[in-house]
Amino acid sequence: MDRFSPLQLFVCAAEAGSFSAAARRLDLGPVQASATIARLERELGVRLFERSTRRLRLTEAGEQWLPHARQLLAAWEGGQAALRGITAEDQPLSGRLRVSLPSDIGRQHLWRWIEDFIASDGSSALQLELRLSDRVADLVQEPVDYAVRYGEPPDSSLIALPLAPDNRRVLCASPAYVARHGQPPTPADLRGHNCLRWMLGDSLHGRWRFTSPDGEACAVEVSGDRTVDDGGLVREWAVAGLGIAYKSRLDVAADLAAGRLVALLPEWLGEPAPLHWMAVGRHRLTPALRRLAESIRAHCGALDGSEVRR
């Protein structure tokens, strides 16, 4: 470990509330992590953590030391950049970037947008690790640094940068399905159609919510013969004419623009599905990360404007 790794481990352990979780994030063994923190405590002459079999929490001294540790790490990174003639604002991404992405938009677009940014921003020293899954990653406990997720942040400790704050779900089906079965005149008529449902863990997304042209909210329990825990497959089933999907507008933008899917009930608003870049702690949102998020936001805006509103 280099001389600043103990500080990094201390910050990670404070955020995760666990030595083992911090060790996984930094690719260390749990014994090595515990010994490193103990050595740091000896050097500082204070106890930084209260340890128990159930939880790990900062002592008063640890709470006082945490912002200083973050500042020291930021100063070290800024100093390295200065030696290379790069200001903090211009410093490219470096080290390892571990991001959890939703499966559908991740495979279709996000990985390309991230690669384009890396190429244009001069981030040649970056190691990129992407995890494509609709399962919500725990940024505190899992070895992931950031997550791109639909919906509002589930944890108040998370910092969220909006990527597509006005994104909503859209009801859609293939032209072939519409030709065979017709379009539902109202959301209530979805009960007579084959609806393609999506699962998140053990939770079935089978209650679809809409807002009428008059501003009235309604919810419909839908049913169908296909259910899956991967949003990308829901979209592919819809394109194949197997049923009606209720997808994030960003997920189906290209299919709607190309005519592979058509929007149903366009006068009814689908439920909100804002997209965010999430991190644990504001210190992780470096200028380079903010540039990346802003680049993705611009791509989302261009993608969103290319389809349903035409």
Side-chain angles (χ1 to χ4, degrees):
M1 300 179 72
D2 62 48
R3 60 186 302 173
F4 279 88
S5 294
L7 288 180
Q8 188 177 19
L9 176 61
F10 165 69
V11 171
C12 284
E15 293 170 348
S18 164
F19 286 151
S20 58
R24 287 193 297 271
R25 292 179 65 175
L26 298 175
D27 287 339
L28 299 174
V31 174
Q32 182 185 9
S34 182
T36 299
I37 293 296
R39 185 167 61 252
L40 179 62
E41 289 177 325
R42 288 195 300 273
E43 291 177 357
L44 294 173
V46 296
R47 194 170 183 83
L48 298 172
F49 293 98
E50 292 290 351
R51 301 159 174 83
S52 72
T53 56
R54 291 190 174 184
R55 60 176 301 188
L56 181 77
R57 66 179 182 85
L58 289 170
T59 62
E60 183 178 348
E63 293 280 4
Q64 293 176 342
W65 176 240
L66 181 58
H68 296 287
R70 287 170 172 162
Q71 290 174 6
L72 285 168
L73 287 174
W76 172 254
E77 292 168 357
Q80 288 181 314
L83 289 175
R84 298 195 299 269
I86 303 172
T87 66
E89 292 298 319
D90 296 329
Q91 185 177 3
L93 294 170
S94 61
R96 183 167 52 177
L97 180 66
R98 298 177 293 189
V99 191
S100 173
L101 305 176
S103 65
D104 199 357
I105 192 173
R107 287 189 179 93
Q108 286 193 81
H109 305 294
L110 285 173
W111 76 268
R112 291 187 177 89
W113 296 344
I114 293 172
E115 292 288 359
D116 289 345
F117 176 84
I118 291 171
S120 65
D121 204 52
S123 304
S124 57
L126 181 70
Q127 292 181 329
L128 181 63
E129 183 178 313
L130 300 181
R131 300 190 177 202
L132 293 169
S133 173
D134 288 326
R135 185 182 64 82
V136 179
D138 186 333
L139 293 182
V140 173
Q141 296 295 329
E142 297 183 32
V144 176
D145 302 312
Y146 307 95
V148 175
R149 281 290 171 259
Y150 285 115
E152 297 299 330
D155 188 333
S156 61
S157 68
L158 297 179
I159 305 299
L161 296 179
L163 303 177
D166 300 323
N167 184 58
R168 289 180 176 270
R169 290 187 176 274
V170 60
L171 197 67
C172 55
S174 72
Y177 180 91
V178 173
R180 290 196 306 271
H181 304 284
Q183 296 198 28
T186 69
D189 295 295
L190 287 169
R191 296 188 181 96
H193 284 266
N194 192 42
C195 295
L196 306 170
R197 296 174 297 173
W198 172 76
M199 293 186 68
L200 180 60
D202 295 328
S203 178
L204 174 65
H205 186 246
R207 187 174 177 82
W208 295 358
R209 296 174 173 82
F210 303 88
T211 302
S212 75
D214 297 329
E216 295 292 326
C218 74
V220 182
E221 291 286 348
V222 299
S223 61
D225 60 9
R226 285 172 174 79
T227 304
V228 69
D229 63 353
D230 186 291
L233 185 51
V234 170
R235 179 178 54 82
E236 291 183 29
W237 278 343
V239 171
L242 299 177
I244 294 177
Y246 192 40
K247 290 280 293 173
S248 157
R249 191 162 56 202
L250 292 172
D251 288 351
V252 295
D255 298 305
L256 290 164
R260 293 185 291 270
L261 293 173
V262 295
L264 309 178
L265 299 176
E267 68 278 13
W268 290 74
L269 280 179
E271 63 186 74
L275 189 68
H276 294 94
W277 182 284
M278 298 184 186
V280 179
R282 195 170 297 278
H283 68 286
R284 293 188 179 277
L285 297 178
T286 63
L289 252 300
R290 290 181 182 276
R291 291 198 303 274
L292 172 57
E294 188 56 40
S295 174
I296 293 174
R297 177 171 178 142
H299 280 295
C300 287
L303 183 65
D304 184 33
S306 71
E307 38 84 38
V308 179
R309 298 197 181 105
R310 299 192 308 160

